[in-house]
């Protein structure tokens, strides 16, 4: 027989492991670039021709690059809803959801796209009560296969995640140390 006693989450240790993995992965990419003679430029780029790009460098200044090949790694931009201000403490983006200092007792995910669903699933499996509020009548975002979306929804419901589909978030207000999410039918 196997006995397991007092299994508990140590969020600080988990977040430390996540930071270590991110550092190793990004360092590994930079090492591969260097090994393969790929010039790595950090900044905001604008294509100026088929083989040229102008980069506003993160460290300041600008650089014009002419080359045979250009790879744009665009990253992602967080989009907040009108009237809902991200503070990255209680009202968080996907980035903030990866850096929470304590496990939320309850978590409302606004938007049923794949990134929000993934993060909601993680926090649900760690013990948070998760509700996803989605404007559309299905999850996964625009372009996801209907059958995949239905199966994904069933799997997430089995994990205990609750869903409010065809629902619009109209606001979020702080009440003491809690938040109230106001919704209406979409």
């Amino acid at each position: 027989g196997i006995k397991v006693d007092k299994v508990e989450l140590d969020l600080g240790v988990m977040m430390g492991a996540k930071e270590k993995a991110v550092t190793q992965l990004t360092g590994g990419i930079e090492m591969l670039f260097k090994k393969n003679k790929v010039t790595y430029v950090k900044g905001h780029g604008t294509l100026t021709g088929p083989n040229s790009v102008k980069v506003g460098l993160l460290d300041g200044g600008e650089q014009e690059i002419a080359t045979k090949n250009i790879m744009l790694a665009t990253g992602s931009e967080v989009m907040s809803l009108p009237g809902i201000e991200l503070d990255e403490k209680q009202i968080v983006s996907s980035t903030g959801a990866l850096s929470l200092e304590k496990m939320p007792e309850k978590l409302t995910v606004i938007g049923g796209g794949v990134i929000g669903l993934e993060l909601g699933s993680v926090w649900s499996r760690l013990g948070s009560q998760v509700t996803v509020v989605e404007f559309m009548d299905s999850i996964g975002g625009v372009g996801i296969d209907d059958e995949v979306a239905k199966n994904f929804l069933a799997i997430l419901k089995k994990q205990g995640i609750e869903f409010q589909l065809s629902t619009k978030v109209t606001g979020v207000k702080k009440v003491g140390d809690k938040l109230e999410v106001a919704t209406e039918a979409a």
Side-chain angles (χ1 to χ4, degrees):
I2 298 173
K3 289 185 178 182
V4 178
D5 191 30
K6 200 169 187 228
V7 175
E8 62 185 55
L9 171 67
D10 186 332
L11 190 59
V13 171
M14 186 179 90
M15 290 298 180
K18 183 228 10 151
E19 288 300 322
K20 182 179 176 186
V22 167
T23 300
Q24 287 176 333
L25 288 170
T26 55
I29 294 291
E30 290 178 14
M31 185 179 69
L32 285 171
F33 281 170
K34 190 173 186 177
K35 178 183 173 190
N36 291 288
K37 298 180 177 119
V38 173
T39 303
Y40 181 37
V41 181
K42 295 180 183 179
H44 184 269
T46 303
L47 292 172
T48 56
N51 296 94
S52 59
V53 63
K54 184 193 293 185
V55 182
L57 302 169
L58 288 182
D59 297 334
E62 222 172 57
Q63 182 178 356
E64 181 84 32
I65 302 169
T67 184
K68 181 179 175 188
N69 299 300
I70 299 170
M71 179 179 75
L72 300 175
T74 60
S76 64
E77 189 88 13
V78 172
M79 185 179 84
S80 187
L81 295 173
I84 300 175
E85 189 174 324
L86 300 174
D87 62 14
E88 298 299 1
K89 298 286 182 218
Q90 281 185 293
I91 304 174
V92 298
S93 65
S94 55
T95 303
L98 289 169
S99 303
L100 293 173
E101 294 176 4
K102 64 179 188 170
M103 188 177 80
E105 182 182 321
K106 294 182 178 183
L107 178 70
T108 300
V109 178
I110 300 174
V114 292
I115 293 172
L117 294 173
E118 178 181 23
L119 292 169
S121 176
V122 168
W123 286 110
S124 173
R125 285 181 276 137
L126 291 173
S128 293
Q129 181 184 336
V130 176
T131 302
V132 175
V133 182
E134 170 56 45
F135 186 81
M136 296 185 352
D137 62 357
S138 64
I139 63 168
V142 176
I144 192 168
D145 179 80
D146 288 340
E147 195 64 31
V148 171
K150 285 180 199 170
N151 288 324
F152 194 20
L153 180 65
I155 290 166
L156 293 172
K157 282 183 173 181
K158 279 185 183 177
Q159 287 181 9
I161 297 176
E162 296 178 16
F163 287 86
Q164 295 178 11
L165 302 179
S166 300
T167 303
K168 177 182 177 180
V169 172
T170 58
V172 176
K173 95 175 160 180
K174 292 188 180 194
V175 179
D177 64 344
K178 306 275 186 211
L179 298 170
E180 284 185 4
V181 179
T183 63
E184 64 184 32

